[in-house]
Amino acid sequence: MKSAVMMGTISSSQERGGRYLLIIDSAGCSIRPHAYMYGKKLDDRDSSTNNSTHNKVCREPPPNHEFSYRWFRGPTVEPCAYEGCPRRTSFSPHDWSKHALGGSGCSLQCVSAQSSLYKATFCNSDCFVKAWKTQYTIQNSSDTNNGNNIPQARSSTPLRKRTGSYCDDDRSVGSSNSGNDVNYIPATPGEISVNGGNNNNNTTMNNPYSTQSSEDEWIEISRDQLYIPHTEDIGRKLKVEAAAYSVESGELLMHRVVKTDLVLSRTPEPEKRNLVTAKPAGGGGARFRIVTYNILAEIYATQQQYPYADLWALSWDFRFQNIIREIVDVGPDIVCLQEVQADHYESHLYNAMHEAGFEGVYKQKTRQAMGMTGKVDGCALFWRRTKFHLVESYSIEFNELAQRQVTQGMGLNPRSEEGASILNKLSKDNVAQLVVLETAQPSMTRGNREPNQVCIANTHLYSNKDCPDVKLWQTLHLLQELETFIMARGPANLPLMICGDFNSTPDSAVYDLLSRQLVHPGHPDVNTGDENGPSVLPDIMSITHSHMLGSVYNTVLGEEPKFTNYTMQFKGVLDYMWYSTRNLRPLSAAPIPDESVLTRHGDALPSTQYSSDHLMQISDMQIVSGGSR
């Protein structure tokens, strides 16, 4: 699987009274430049008057034109002059992240003409400091004329060969020391997959101190608009030339060149998650592996929210490759996902999961898209086609349940002050999915047909920590909907699993309700006070349900994990896998990685290794009958 991350690369130029934008982005496995030409806006203000109001108008539109493209691969470069730097031999995203570079991500160049490191470039200040301990003082011309031809050594290290900079082009997009005369947003390193071989594309330039231009070392590799990076591109820059030609005359109207930063290799395979098995028990029916995972929607993956993460590591194109690989590698039969962006489900996720052997359904949140179409998240539920087929599929909108409670349960007019206040508090756009799956090959035991259906619920509850009563209300009504759904299917209890991001810690009323079927009257989540808005919960004795549920991780491992969400702002458990204890048995669970593993390539999540701020939960389950566990 190949990918490239060249997001947000914008450069522009002005020619012939017009303006020409060239934007490079990526589409999973490819890099596609977007070129735009538009008329230059001219100031029509009359300078002879004192009137400060003026307009900028386009005198004439740009002529009809078409674009042509040429792609080039740059020469091999030495990323860092310090011989002990891991980035001299590695182009893994792990080694080029902000975390690995010490937080700066800014290259440095020695400007002392009397140093043996003159013009040598270093990937960060740490490498520069270490290399400085080995530098020599170079004699100047006056010293040579006086016969002083012995350099003054600052250490016993032999004079090193000076090396060039990988950021030597001041018009390279994304270079740390690029000139300010170009209007662009810094680019990101590219990422491609490496199918075998090694990353030995980091040899030094033949003549790093040559004053001649290295343009002749750029090799043309494509004339298509779309370019798919290859193994040969690792450790090099790419360059795209775009030209606009008149449709009528063929005259060259505008021309623009943009260079990327270094192309990086694909992120290494994630560490395998070992499963811990539960105490063995005899009997039982069909087995299946289920995972739940909040994958962090792009609309929330901002640097304002995660300032410790690289911008390119937050991009969806980079994260999607890691996320889909992480999911598929664990070999699940059922996949419950939260924070799935609507447009990404259509353009990325469904196709990738379908190719991996899954079918799925999607339910977006009730609210409108954030800006453009598809910019809203929701829940997605997939099942392996060779393992299950779909019997029923439903969705639950909590906004609709709130409307029903106000009008039918409380007899209020939704337009009244009290009704509108309650609706405003409860209408948070959250949703849940509900499917009934049937095993493709029914289990048989001693001639008896074993239960072969299972009900899976997938949800993402409200996230505001200051509204625990809203989360409890959502949980209660979800359980009530599931009760109605299951009871309508006859006396044979349908095995049930409820998975998702509940945005509630193990000390919350939500956890108590799910695990104990009730909530203590003194729990602070049900005694929020008037300052938290109108009361939306029923009498405490009515906050109950008939499901006998157990937490998979607590059952198998003896306790909940320390965290399933790991950021700089919060570290704790928010995600759970609940199962009906009457007719399901957890066979195993994959422990959450230790903190030392999570922070190996970043201060917190997301990072170059873990592409969401949540961690995937994995379990093997078995359908049982006769009330055995």
Side-chain angles (χ1 to χ4, degrees):
M1 187 179 295
K2 296 181 179 179
S3 66
V5 181
M6 304 289 182
M7 53 158 286
T9 307
I10 302 179
S11 189
S12 65
S13 65
Q14 296 184 19
E15 302 177 34
R16 299 189 176 220
R19 192 165 178 83
Y20 177 25
L21 279 179
L22 178 61
I23 304 174
I24 298 179
D25 68 7
S26 61
C29 301
S30 58
I31 312 174
R32 181 187 299 273
H34 301 279
Y36 304 93
M37 182 177 174
Y38 54 92
K40 181 180 179 182
K41 291 184 177 180
L42 302 178
D43 194 341
D44 66 349
R45 177 174 49 185
D46 184 2
S47 59
S48 63
T49 66
N50 295 326
N51 184 11
S52 60
T53 62
H54 62 281
N55 297 313
K56 289 187 176 181
V57 298
C58 182
R59 295 291 173 85
E60 59 183 35
N64 292 334
H65 58 277
E66 58 184 9
F67 294 102
S68 67
Y69 302 91
R70 298 172 68 199
W71 287 91
F72 297 84
R73 178 188 302 123
T76 56
V77 295
E78 186 176 77
C80 183
Y82 174 55
E83 293 179 354
C85 176
R87 283 161 289 281
R88 289 169 60 91
T89 57
S90 170
F91 292 101
S92 165
H94 293 338
D95 293 320
W96 287 88
S97 68
K98 187 187 302 185
H99 178 79
L101 290 168
S104 65
C106 179
S107 63
L108 303 173
Q109 188 177 65
C110 180
V111 296
S112 173
Q114 293 184 329
S115 171
S116 59
L117 301 178
Y118 180 51
K119 289 189 177 181
T121 299
F122 304 89
C123 63
N124 63 2
S125 58
D126 185 54
C127 286
F128 177 72
V129 170
K130 291 177 180 177
W132 186 258
K133 297 176 182 179
T134 70
Q135 67 92 34
Y136 269 75
T137 299
I138 301 297
Q139 66 187 65
N140 56 34
S141 57
S142 60
D143 291 334
T144 303
N145 294 335
N146 294 332
N148 298 327
N149 54 9
I150 301 177
Q152 301 298 313
R154 292 194 182 221
S155 73
S156 59
T157 306
L159 182 64
R160 62 167 47 241
K161 178 181 178 181
R162 298 172 179 171
T163 56
S165 165
Y166 79 96
C167 295
D168 56 351
D169 188 342
D170 64 357
R171 295 180 72 85
S172 293
V173 178
S175 300
S176 300
N177 58 349
S178 297
N180 295 325
D181 58 328
V182 183
N183 175 26
Y184 61 78
I185 297 174
T188 63
E191 184 199 11
I192 70 171
S193 63
V194 182
N195 300 320
N198 51 44
N199 300 346
N200 291 329
N201 292 330
N202 60 312
T203 56
T204 58
M205 299 171 63
N206 293 332
N207 187 6
Y209 283 102
S210 173
T211 58
Q212 297 179 354
S213 172
S214 61
E215 289 297 316
D216 57 343
E217 298 183 55
W218 287 80
I219 302 172
E220 184 173 349
I221 51 179
S222 175
R223 293 200 174 188
D224 297 326
Q225 180 182 8
L226 194 72
Y227 180 68
I228 301 176
H230 302 283
T231 306
E232 295 81 5
D233 299 319
I234 294 177
R236 302 169 184 248
K237 291 181 181 181
L238 300 177
K239 176 174 71 176
V240 59
E241 293 182 354
Y245 292 92
S246 170
V247 173
E248 289 79 10
S249 65
E251 176 190 8
L252 175 64
L253 302 175
M254 292 186 179
H255 176 262
R256 191 73 182 107
V257 177
V258 172
K259 295 177 184 177
T260 72
D261 214 327
L262 294 178
V263 176
L264 303 182
S265 63
R266 190 177 72 169
T267 303
E269 297 287 340
E271 292 189 11
K272 299 299 181 184
R273 299 272 300 275
N274 296 322
L275 290 164
V276 173
T277 57
K279 183 179 179 180
R287 302 185 178 194
F288 59 91
R289 177 167 294 179
I290 184 170
V291 304
T292 184
Y293 196 7
N294 180 324
I295 63 174
L296 180 59
E298 182 187 40
I299 52 178
Y300 306 131
T302 65
Q303 285 222 286
Q304 289 77 18
Q305 184 67 26
Y306 308 101
Y308 49 85
D310 294 273
L311 181 61
W312 53 268
L314 290 173
S315 73
W316 171 249
D317 291 305
F318 176 86
R319 295 192 301 113
F320 169 70
Q321 303 294 336
N322 293 338
I323 288 169
I324 198 70
R325 181 174 54 174
E326 184 182 4
I327 293 171
V328 172
D329 280 357
V330 303
D333 299 308
I334 301 173
V335 180
C336 298
L337 302 179
Q338 304 85 43
E339 281 197 28
V340 177
Q341 200 162 293
D343 55 343
H344 292 158
Y345 178 81
E346 297 292 338
S347 63
H348 292 76
L349 196 59
Y350 178 81
N351 293 335
M353 292 296 287
H354 192 270
E355 290 179 5
F358 292 85
E359 190 53 70
V361 291
Y362 177 74
K363 177 61 180 177
Q364 77 174 42
K365 286 183 178 177
T366 311
R367 68 166 175 258
Q368 297 298 314
M370 295 172 63
M372 296 183 291
T373 302
K375 302 303 180 184
V376 59
D377 67 301
C379 297
L381 202 157
F382 295 92
W383 57 93
R384 189 177 296 278
R385 294 192 298 270
T386 57
K387 185 78 172 183
F388 293 102
H389 65 260
L390 180 66
V391 178
E392 298 178 75
S393 175
Y394 297 95
S395 61
I396 298 172
E397 295 186 358
F398 290 106
N399 284 10
E400 183 180 327
L401 298 183
Q403 183 81 18
R404 188 194 308 169
Q405 173 172 311
V406 169
T407 57
Q408 300 178 17
M410 305 176 70
L412 296 175
N413 185 335
R415 296 184 179 180
S416 67
E417 182 178 352
E418 184 180 4
S421 178
I422 293 174
L423 276 178
N424 183 61
K425 182 171 182 177
L426 292 179
S427 299
K428 302 304 180 184
D429 306 320
N430 299 90
V431 296
Q433 293 176 290
L434 178 62
V435 300
V436 176
L437 302 174
E438 186 171 86
T439 55
Q441 298 178 346
S443 301
M444 302 291 290
T445 305
R446 295 181 182 180
N448 296 323
R449 185 185 180 93
E450 291 287 338
N452 64 338
Q453 290 188 350
V454 60
C455 179
I456 307 293
N458 178 32
T459 192
H460 186 187
L461 300 186
Y462 188 44
S463 60
N464 193 326
K465 63 181 179 61
D466 296 325
C467 297
D469 54 339
V470 175
K471 302 177 196 181
L472 182 60
W473 180 91
Q474 291 178 338
T475 305
L476 175 63
H477 281 262
L478 173 61
L479 292 168
Q480 289 175 349
E481 290 292 307
L482 290 171
E483 279 182 344
T484 303
F485 180 84
I486 292 175
M487 289 177 62
R489 273 137 193 86
N493 290 325
L494 190 64
L496 171 68
M497 288 201 71
I498 310 174
C499 302
D501 178 357
F502 293 79
N503 274 309
S504 304
T505 54
D507 61 352
S508 66
V510 167
Y511 190 93
D512 283 354
L513 179 60
L514 286 162
S515 60
R516 300 173 54 227
Q517 299 176 281
L518 52 83
V519 178
H520 192 280
H523 199 290
D525 288 355
V526 297
N527 296 278
T528 55
D530 296 337
E531 67 277 0
N532 201 35
S535 175
V536 295
L537 295 172
D539 179 81
I540 190 65
M541 301 306 296
S542 301
I543 303 178
T544 184
H545 62 91
S546 62
H547 302 285
M548 294 181 62
L549 300 174
S551 165
V552 169
Y553 269 63
N554 188 48
T555 300
V556 176
L557 304 178
E559 61 181 357
E560 297 294 349
K562 291 183 179 179
F563 36 73
T564 60
N565 180 229
Y566 192 90
T567 68
M568 295 295 286
Q569 297 81 18
F570 175 82
K571 299 174 179 64
V573 180
L574 301 176
D575 311 88
Y576 304 93
M577 305 170 78
W578 299 94
Y579 70 100
S580 54
T581 58
R582 290 191 184 99
N583 41 32
L584 280 173
R585 176 192 302 145
L587 303 177
S588 64
I592 297 300
D594 292 337
E595 213 164 352
S596 60
V597 176
L598 299 181
T599 57
R600 187 175 299 163
H601 300 296
D603 297 326
L605 306 186
S607 66
T608 56
Q609 179 69 69
Y610 296 96
S611 286
S612 174
D613 57 343
H614 287 249
L615 292 152
M616 180 167 57
Q617 291 184 305
I618 313 165
S619 176
D620 289 327
M621 303 294 297
Q622 185 177 34
I623 301 174
V624 297
S625 59
S628 60
R629 294 180 59 184

